[in-house]
Amino acid sequence: MAKVLVVTSGKGGVGKTTSTAALGAALAQSGQSVVVIDFDVGLRNLDLVLGAERRVVYDLINVVQGEAKLSQALIRDKRVETLSLLAASQTRDKDALTEEGVGRIIAELREKFDWVICDSPAGIERGAALAMRFADVAVVVTNPEVSSVRDSDRIIGLLDSKTLRAENGERMEKHLLITRFDPAREMRGEMLKTEDVLEILSIPLLGVIPESEEVLRASNVGSPVTLNAPTSAPGRAYMDAAKRLKGEVVAMTVPTERRAGLFSKIFRRAA
Amino acid sequence: MGNPSGRQVRSRNLSVTDVTSAARPSIRFRGHSLIALVVVPEEPVSDWLAHLDGLAQRSPGFFASRPVILDVSHLPHDRDSLRALVADLFTRGIRVMGLEGADAAVLGPDLPPVLTGGSPTGQLEIPTGKLKTQPNGGPERPRPASLLIEDPVRSGQSICFPDGDVTVVGSVSSGAEIIAGGSIHVYGTLRGRAVAGSGGDTKARIYCRKLEAELLMIDGSFRTDDEVQPELRGRPVQAWLQDGAIALASLD
């Protein structure tokens, strides 16, 4: 049974697209068939992060409006063949998305893939609303700082009221992914503590992704960090998060970079 | 007799501070808006009173605890006849709170004051003496006086329950608000806004297990987070209205 997963946050710049690419690639590497959809119509980025920007012919809007078939618009990844991308349109805006069209595409993709991962745009408007509309599972991406946490809280409220699942009275499965986590700054009290974020948002923790240059490097070479640097700290953290999404039990650790002359700190937490 | 008609009486919120003695607390005035029953007596008054007795017999208690305004603009009157009419109504259990259309020359301290500025709200339904029934035939049940919320109240959500108390089993997030006609009980952390006694209930209170609220308000008096004593922050706290200001105390 296919699972439709939305990666969302409310706030911009917290790492939705990076996380979508990393989790999608990690799931695909484990043999699952995965499609990632960019819902950020007008400000598309997922194609860049996956290194497929020069291969986009048809996009989500073309399929929504019936100008192209889904099979024409899906772009298969060259490194992991079980990973596909449905890009957003850069020349249109989010008003071009219709609920009927998005619903039809998601239903069609459910037939073909194990995972349909929707990369939500920032905000709570049409693009974000339609990205979450048909989801079964949500990954809420949050940075450990107050504005990101409050926006995530707002998004969780919307996940519990505006999705098809919520309207049918079913429970929406929600997971928290903390990104750009810096253990040293948390120790100095410059960042919200993970416990505090969990207490405020009160949804289960999927993973903690440490702040790392590897993430930026991977984005710039157009390769998800789980493919580009799978043994790096963020690479391992995303791999563990993908395993938890599949239902595996993995001890919750926050991997850190190992550097000569520095003690690496490994924080263990109960999942 | 003409049908009694409803009328809305409004006044404005006022707060007057005595500038000469700034140390004194300001005197609080509150605006109040209510629907008053306007009765319009017709000539001859004795027949009209008999008609009124018939109505009172069919539906006893119709006038009980209702504010009543006497409109005499179409009734020739002098001071004595007006005084007699008000007394006649009083013996029927109708207390006149104000007059409309009365001749200024006949007024006195023994008569109700003249009201102006009311706005009509239409005819009121005169009860027929039967109990109101629901479509299924059963008697009307009173509406529940409390609302229970078992999930966390998230940022951006607004819970408004003017009929009574609100109980939240989880937390109320920053950017969320609870508005209750009665008291508010939060068994998690209260981080958002809590507005209790929204309909003017001065006895309403706010209780929470952990106080980090952005705003506490009871019957129009409020306290922001900045005005909360630091030692109470993060603790189980109750808030109530004392001499028109919000008082806070730890529940430990």
Side-chain angles (χ1 to χ4, degrees):
Chain A
M1 181 63 194
K3 270 201 173 171
V4 179
L5 183 150
V6 61
V7 179
T8 186
S9 70
K11 195 173 184 300
V14 295
K16 287 181 294 297
T17 300
T18 304
S19 298
T20 302
L23 290 174
L27 285 168
Q29 278 174 290
S30 73
Q32 308 257 297
S33 62
V34 180
V35 59
V36 288
I37 313 176
D38 192 348
F39 272 83
D40 206 349
V41 180
L43 290 168
R44 76 175 196 209
N45 283 152
L46 190 55
D47 55 328
L48 284 171
V49 174
L50 286 170
E53 71 276 15
R54 278 189 280 277
R55 298 171 61 207
V56 178
V57 182
Y58 295 108
D59 56 47
L60 176 65
I61 299 299
N62 293 134
V63 186
V64 164
Q65 301 194 333
E67 297 155 5
K69 279 192 243 160
L70 197 50
S71 53
Q72 294 175 293
L74 287 174
I75 302 163
R76 183 172 290 187
D77 191 89
K78 285 185 169 169
R79 298 150 297 205
V80 190
E81 64 170 18
T82 50
L83 177 65
S84 296
L85 163 72
L86 183 54
S89 171
Q90 184 70 353
T91 52
R92 309 292 286 274
D93 62 40
K94 281 145 188 110
D95 294 335
L97 289 169
T98 62
E99 177 165 345
E100 183 272 327
V102 172
R104 193 177 33 130
I105 290 171
I106 302 262
E108 211 173 316
L109 291 170
R110 268 182 200 274
E111 303 292 317
K112 294 182 177 161
F113 293 92
D114 298 325
W115 291 90
V116 180
I117 305 183
C118 306
D119 180 21
S120 173
I124 53 174
E125 285 77 31
R126 191 175 185 82
L130 284 175
M132 69 167 68
R133 181 72 185 152
F134 301 95
D136 308 311
V137 189
V139 169
V140 179
V141 182
T142 302
N143 293 164
E145 49 101 13
V146 283
S147 58
S148 174
V149 171
R150 183 198 266 187
D151 290 1
S152 292
D153 193 54
R154 178 93 167 96
I155 280 289
I156 296 168
L158 296 176
L159 286 167
D160 283 336
S161 60
K162 301 283 187 209
T163 52
L164 213 53
R165 248 176 191 266
E167 285 177 9
N168 291 336
E170 294 167 72
R171 198 87 191 160
M172 182 91 190
E173 196 186 318
K174 299 172 292 279
H175 300 279
L176 180 66
L177 187 67
I178 297 179
T179 56
R180 310 198 67 168
F181 175 81
D182 186 335
R185 292 186 63 198
E186 189 200 38
M187 295 280 275
R188 292 198 299 269
E190 295 169 5
M191 269 184 173
L192 280 181
K193 287 195 174 5
T194 307
E195 298 92 272
D196 294 342
V197 177
L198 282 169
E199 206 261 310
I200 292 172
L201 296 178
S202 53
I203 58 171
L205 183 63
L206 182 70
V208 180
I209 313 297
E211 172 87 310
S212 165
E213 288 169 13
E214 286 296 340
V215 175
L216 186 64
R217 192 173 302 143
S219 288
N220 284 336
V221 299
S223 175
V225 70
T226 42
L227 288 182
N228 197 54
T231 54
S232 68
R236 282 178 286 144
Y238 275 121
M239 288 289 198
D240 284 353
K243 284 183 189 157
R244 291 183 197 110
L245 269 182
K246 288 196 294 178
E248 293 175 32
V249 179
V250 185
M252 187 66 70
T253 57
V254 182
T256 49
E257 309 281 5
R258 289 167 205 279
R259 286 194 200 121
L262 277 177
F263 287 108
S264 61
K265 295 176 205 133
I266 299 182
F267 292 81
R268 287 187 183 276
R269 288 181 212 284
Chain B
M1 125 189 196
N3 273 334
S5 59
R7 188 147 302 191
Q8 195 151 22
V9 181
R10 273 208 189 92
S11 52
R12 290 217 184 105
N13 280 317
L14 284 173
S15 179
V16 178
T17 311
D18 184 357
V19 287
T20 54
S21 54
R24 275 182 155 175
S26 65
I27 299 169
R28 293 181 74 236
F29 292 91
R30 268 193 319 117
H32 211 89
S33 169
L34 50 86
I35 307 285
L37 198 64
V38 178
V39 292
V40 189
E42 286 161 22
E43 289 262 62
V45 174
S46 54
D47 286 1
W48 182 81
L49 283 171
H51 197 119
L52 188 72
D53 288 338
L55 169 69
Q57 214 162 33
R58 284 203 306 280
S59 49
F62 177 60
F63 288 103
S65 70
R66 277 187 200 250
V68 172
I69 291 171
L70 192 61
D71 182 355
V72 292
S73 48
H74 302 294
L75 186 77
H77 57 271
D78 55 34
R79 187 170 182 161
D80 288 338
S81 72
L82 212 49
R83 218 158 41 188
L85 180 57
V86 170
D88 279 339
L89 290 172
F90 186 75
T91 59
R92 288 166 173 80
I94 303 170
R95 302 191 64 166
V96 177
M97 72 173 241
L99 297 172
E100 266 189 2
D103 187 354
V106 307
L107 293 172
D110 50 348
L111 279 171
V114 168
L115 295 178
T116 55
S119 58
T121 62
Q123 301 270 313
L124 286 183
E125 199 186 322
I126 295 183
T128 54
K130 285 185 205 153
L131 263 180
K132 267 194 186 168
T133 51
Q134 285 186 317
N136 61 16
E140 201 174 5
R141 282 167 180 275
R143 301 209 2 215
S146 73
L147 176 71
L148 173 66
I149 296 163
E150 293 186 86
D151 295 312
V153 182
R154 304 281 180 183
S155 185
Q157 290 180 335
S158 177
I159 308 286
C160 190
F161 186 69
D163 299 326
D165 291 9
V166 174
T167 306
V168 183
V169 178
S171 293
V172 177
S173 292
S174 161
E177 68 180 5
I178 309 281
I179 301 168
S183 298
I184 295 172
H185 311 256
V186 179
Y187 288 94
T189 308
L190 173 58
R191 297 190 178 87
R193 300 156 67 101
V195 179
S198 64
D201 181 4
T202 54
K203 295 256 187 290
R205 292 191 178 199
I206 299 167
Y207 308 86
C208 62
R209 214 181 63 182
K210 200 171 169 194
L211 179 73
E212 287 173 21
E214 289 162 354
L215 180 84
L216 298 171
M217 189 188 280
I218 301 173
D219 184 33
S221 300
F222 61 86
R223 205 186 265 225
T224 59
D225 185 43
D226 291 346
E227 298 158 339
V228 170
Q229 301 95 296
E231 65 272 18
L232 288 178
R233 208 166 284 153
R235 302 187 57 86
V237 163
Q238 66 163 325
W240 70 98
L241 212 51
Q242 195 170 44
D243 304 326
I246 291 204
L248 295 175
S250 168
L251 284 170
D252 281 348

